[in-house]
Amino acid sequence: MTGVSYMIPIVVIGGVLIAFSIALSGVQAGKGAVVTNPVLKSMMDIGTASFSMMVPVLAGFIAFGIADRPGLAPGLVGGVLANQLKAGFLGGIIAGFIAGYVARWIKSWRVPKNLRPIMPIFVIPLLSALIVGFLMIYILGNPISSAMTAMTNWLKSMSTGNAVILAMIMGAMIAFDMGGPVNKVAFLFAAAMIGEGVYTIMGPVAVAICIPPLGMGVATLLAPNKYTKAEKEAGYGALAMGMIGITEGAIPFAAADPLRVIPSIMVGSSIGAAIAAIGKVGDHAPHGGPIVLPVVDNKIMFIVAVLIGIAVTALMVNALKKPVIEEVEDESEVAE
């Protein structure tokens, strides 16, 4: 989670700048994106530079999360090697874990007092970097690279049916814990695929991200008698958060009524993601919600998928919920 948190801004910079430079330059038939304007070319170069940092930052801060500061440098080194060996984000994750646990192991060594000051700045980073480096170069790098290439090629050649199944699974994962570990696994995979040139994974995920808060916000408007005053107020906030792709806007509703809310948002996000996959919606930015519409491929299908997902969530949760009568009772008691 530490690695993902620090990686996300890097991917946002790369994805958005590259997408805008292409969108403002246009795409020529048979040639693809042709960026000739010097300013837009510089924008693309900055985005590309940011993308090149994605895997090292992911690996470095995974190691940092495990071993604290001594793990950061060897993790970054492992991430750079993963890039060079074309092992992608899978290689970065593995390199980060190796660097972190090796650094933590070396930190546990008992050494003479006069050596302790140099351990975190010299011995631990150096030995950890050597170990993770040799493992990546001689043992792990090529197998991971082959697996990454095979996975990328499979995703690019995936049939519509397979794409829909994958989208439904990832949509359900996004909604399940609304920003938690399961959500982050799906998000990380989709964001990493942007770096591999596969945008049709992030597209369905971008749809799924905004459906839980938007769906619950709409549900409070459609059946206000089924929600407490606090929930109705939270509904307005959920609508605002959904528009900018913050899935956590649905958490207050899930916390209050998990057995009805979580299945409803999972079904809505899953169906919305499936429709996006059918429409081959692509997203060039690692984020979700209507805010990413300028960098989305097939914008109409993106909107259609979001609207259908919202409708499914709102109707399902309202069908499952019962009217709230506690507030009325409380008010009558106060009146008495």
Side-chain angles (χ1 to χ4, degrees):
M1 294 292 287
T2 303
V4 173
S5 298
Y6 282 98
M7 182 198 76
I8 287 173
I10 299 294
V11 186
V12 168
I13 294 169
V16 171
L17 290 183
I18 291 173
F20 271 124
S21 66
I22 293 172
L24 295 174
S25 299
V27 179
Q28 297 181 11
K31 294 184 179 180
V34 179
V35 182
T36 55
N37 181 284
V39 175
L40 296 179
K41 180 69 167 59
S42 296
M43 187 184 293
M44 176 170 269
D45 290 342
I46 295 169
T48 303
S50 179
F51 258 144
S52 71
M53 296 168 59
M54 179 182 76
V55 174
V57 168
L58 173 65
F61 282 96
I62 286 174
F64 176 83
I66 295 169
D68 208 359
R69 191 170 59 181
L72 180 60
L76 290 169
V77 170
V80 171
L81 288 171
N83 263 351
Q84 292 177 351
L85 296 167
K86 301 189 185 305
F89 82 100
L90 290 177
I93 291 171
I94 293 171
F97 275 106
I98 293 172
Y101 282 112
V102 168
R104 195 163 80 172
W105 171 58
I106 298 174
K107 278 174 64 177
S108 68
W109 291 0
R110 293 184 179 181
V111 296
K113 285 185 178 180
N114 58 342
L115 288 180
R116 289 176 189 172
I118 66 169
M119 288 294 289
I121 61 172
F122 184 80
V123 177
I124 298 174
L126 182 62
L127 291 180
S128 300
L130 280 173
I131 292 170
V132 71
F134 280 127
L135 286 172
M136 289 300 295
I137 292 170
Y138 293 110
I139 299 175
L140 300 173
N142 288 332
I144 297 171
S145 176
S146 299
M148 193 70 186
T149 300
M151 183 176 67
T152 303
N153 291 337
W154 174 69
L155 290 171
K156 288 180 176 178
S157 63
M158 196 162 44
S159 66
T160 302
N162 289 334
V164 169
I165 293 171
L166 178 63
M168 291 181 72
I169 294 170
M170 297 190 72
M173 291 174 67
I174 288 291
F176 174 69
D177 57 356
M178 296 154 284
V182 176
N183 171 290
K184 285 293 187 289
V185 169
F187 177 84
L188 171 60
F189 177 67
M193 286 298 101
I194 293 176
E196 304 297 325
V198 181
Y199 307 109
T200 50
I201 305 298
M202 193 69 226
V205 167
V207 168
I209 283 171
C210 67
I211 287 173
L214 291 177
M216 292 308 303
V218 169
T220 63
L221 298 177
L222 293 177
N225 64 317
K226 295 188 176 184
Y227 298 89
T228 64
K229 182 179 179 181
E231 286 176 327
K232 283 182 277 191
E233 291 175 354
Y236 294 111
L239 289 171
M241 285 189 273
M243 293 298 291
I244 57 175
I246 300 178
T247 316
E248 288 85 342
I251 288 177
F253 302 96
D257 191 0
L259 295 180
R260 294 180 179 90
V261 172
I262 293 177
S264 300
I265 61 177
M266 287 178 69
V267 171
S269 288
S270 187
I271 290 174
I275 293 168
I278 293 170
K280 299 191 183 303
V281 173
D283 180 12
H284 294 255
H287 199 60
I291 195 173
V292 301
L293 202 55
V295 294
V296 164
D297 299 328
N298 203 343
K299 294 176 175 58
I300 293 176
M301 283 303 296
F302 178 91
I303 295 170
V304 169
V306 170
L307 292 176
I308 292 176
I310 290 171
V312 169
T313 291
L315 292 174
M316 181 174 171
V317 74
N318 283 345
L320 294 173
K321 274 184 167 288
K322 296 179 180 179
V324 174
I325 59 174
E326 287 79 9
E327 285 189 331
V328 176
E329 291 176 353
D330 290 343
E331 289 173 3
S332 62
E333 288 174 7
V334 171
E336 290 173 2

